[in-house]
Amino acid sequence: MMLRSLLFAALTALLLGCSPEPEPIRYGNDACSFCRMTIADARYGAELVTTTGKTYTFDSVECLAGFVNENTGPNKVDIHSLWVSDYKRPGTLINVDDAFFIQGGTLRSPMAMNVAAFSASASSPQTVADSTGGTVTKWDHLRTMVRERNADSSHTSGHHSMPTGHTGLRQMPFSGS
């Protein structure tokens, strides 16, 4: 019985030690995996980590949402976690599940949807909304807004595109490896 407990503890420690983690975004060098723009503003960066530890970096929350929305099928099971930069601590990545999002007001995100992420443990959503003049939104609602905006863009331009502000963009396929 004791050997079984030790084996279970060792296996658990091994699995926890191998958990895929986000990597620091190299602002000014890394390209967005969705729109190919250089990731320049540390207040708006985002990252997707696969189950194998591969990372995809993004210049905005809306590009991360667009990437997740548009890469359906078996690749979705390869997503381990989603990370966004805390607007109040530029460059500090927080898990999407630990964040809330503010849209509009004084925020000016790179892809023109004017969305920023904030740590739910460090800030009150209503306080941030009041100070920025924006509105509080959640990840699922943000994904819906990005999906609708991209659908509207593809209807008017006749091809797949991103929110206003993107020109000549190319999306990277999600291989999940």
Side-chain angles (χ1 to χ4, degrees):
M1 183 70 167
M2 185 167 177
L3 180 59
R4 190 178 290 171
S5 295
L6 287 173
L7 183 59
F8 178 75
L11 185 58
T12 301
L14 180 64
L15 290 174
L16 291 175
C18 295
S19 181
E21 296 289 330
E23 294 180 8
I25 296 172
R26 296 173 305 148
Y27 292 94
N29 292 310
D30 287 348
C32 177
S33 295
F34 193 66
C35 71
R36 304 301 306 154
M37 289 177 57
T38 299
I39 304 170
D41 193 333
R43 296 173 301 172
Y44 298 102
E47 194 167 296
L48 180 151
V49 180
T50 69
T51 54
T52 60
K54 184 174 182 174
T55 60
Y56 292 84
T57 54
F58 304 91
D59 65 344
S60 67
V61 172
E62 51 264 49
C63 276
L64 172 63
F67 188 83
V68 171
N69 285 346
E70 297 179 18
N71 289 284
T72 59
N75 293 332
K76 280 217 178 235
V77 298
D78 294 333
I79 295 174
H80 176 269
S81 54
L82 304 172
W83 301 82
V84 290
S85 183
D86 183 353
Y87 184 84
K88 288 190 171 181
R89 296 178 301 149
T92 301
L93 294 172
I94 54 177
N95 192 299
V96 164
D97 296 334
D98 299 328
F100 65 89
F101 303 90
I102 300 290
Q103 182 190 25
T106 58
L107 300 172
R108 300 288 176 255
S109 62
M111 303 322 301
M113 283 189 74
N114 303 323
V115 177
F118 296 84
S119 171
S121 65
S123 303
S124 158
Q126 193 56 52
T127 301
V128 175
D130 291 344
S131 68
T132 61
T135 57
V136 179
T137 188
K138 295 184 177 188
W139 173 245
D140 290 339
H141 184 252
L142 176 63
R143 285 185 58 197
T144 299
M145 290 187 319
V146 168
R147 184 179 301 114
E148 290 171 356
R149 189 166 181 166
N150 287 348
D152 288 345
S153 295
S154 66
H155 285 229
T156 57
S157 65
H159 59 78
H160 187 80
S161 63
M162 270 299 293
T164 303
H166 269 262
T167 56
L169 301 177
R170 189 178 125 240
Q171 296 174 26
M172 297 294 290
F174 177 52
S175 65
S177 58

